[in-house]
Amino acid sequence: MFDIQMFGANDTITASNTVDIVAGFVDGDTRTFKVPNPRSDLTSSDIENVDTWIAANNIIIGDRTGASSTGINSATLVNTMKTRLDLT
Amino acid sequence: MATRTTLRVLYQDTGSNRGGYNIGYCNPDATDAQLKELGQRLNALTTNTFMGVQRTDVTDITTAEFEYTLTAEEPRVTEEPIMPVFAGSGSYDATLAFNYELNAPAGYFEDIDVTRSQNTNDFAVSMSKTSSYVAGQYTLTAYLTRNGAQVSNRAETVIALS
């Protein structure tokens, strides 16, 4: 019988946070960009303000046909924890 | 030539580590100030310190990839209005925008107007000489864009005024 030890003394644990923003385009294309280290007090209103600006200014264009942006389709806060196991 | 512009936002995190993330394709007509504002607005969602944006413009100089071709016809200059015609071949739709550049001093031409033939997809640029024009050769260049990206060749014609 073996005991499985999840975290060894020499394992390395790293954590990262992103807000994954999905932008949409008039031709149906979408694109996700990951913005690192979102504020802990981030609200949907903050995202909607960026959404409004992106939709109004036509700065981001689609990959497929260069279509105009329709703004932000969704935004997701993503917390990732990685454990690098020490194999030595 | 078609130009593609990509954008990367640069930042420094609270641990003084520098990094960046890609936004992807942006409108090549966007100004540096607009791209910087986009970076600043995204950075305001974070705890990072904004370090700027990195703009990359890539110009494709191959010649056979345009979806629309314009061919300049010999302009008639002896009668008013002068009406250079650019014959078009390709699939036209309402997302295409016709653009022209007239290499002539301001005030030499007036009443410049663009019309498109519904049947042939030809474009005509009509214009009149003003009383202050000077004899010489002036270049009119036409091309099509969609959402700021060039989708045709640049066709040139010379308007010779005597």
Side-chain angles (χ1 to χ4, degrees), chain B residues 29-102:
Chain B
D29 293 335
T31 64
D32 290 349
Q34 287 176 310
L35 297 177
K36 182 180 177 184
E37 183 171 358
L38 173 61
Q40 288 173 317
R41 286 177 178 271
L42 290 171
N43 191 75
L45 305 176
T46 76
T47 58
N48 299 325
T49 300
F50 181 63
M51 302 300 287
V53 292
Q54 187 175 60
R55 171 186 190 143
T56 302
D57 293 318
V58 178
T59 301
D60 186 352
I61 59 172
T62 58
T63 55
E65 296 180 359
F66 293 118
E67 64 179 270
Y68 205 101
T69 301
L70 291 176
T71 304
E73 298 181 354
E74 188 73 23
R76 179 198 63 199
V77 297
T78 54
E79 300 175 33
E80 294 274 10
I82 301 166
M83 192 174 292
V85 172
F86 296 88
S89 65
S91 179
Y92 180 85
D93 62 64
T95 66
L96 292 174
F98 180 86
N99 305 269
Y100 68 86
E101 297 167 5
L102 178 57

Side-chain angles (χ1 to χ4, degrees), chain A residues 15-88:
Chain A
S16 62
N17 299 315
T18 61
V19 55
D20 293 2
I21 294 174
V22 180
F25 302 92
V26 295
D27 63 354
D29 196 8
T30 61
R31 183 188 309 146
T32 302
F33 39 91
K34 298 174 177 292
V35 180
N37 308 317
R39 297 190 336 255
S40 59
D41 61 348
L42 194 64
T43 66
S44 57
S45 295
D46 294 322
I47 300 295
E48 286 164 0
N49 287 338
V50 178
D51 174 31
T52 302
W53 189 86
I54 286 177
N57 286 273
N58 193 30
I59 303 298
I60 302 173
I61 60 175
D63 292 353
R64 291 197 306 228
T65 63
S68 299
S69 172
T70 55
I72 294 174
N73 289 355
S74 67
T76 306
L77 290 168
V78 179
N79 304 311
T80 303
M81 179 173 288
K82 294 181 180 178
T83 303
R84 184 182 182 87
L85 301 175
D86 179 21
L87 302 180
T88 60

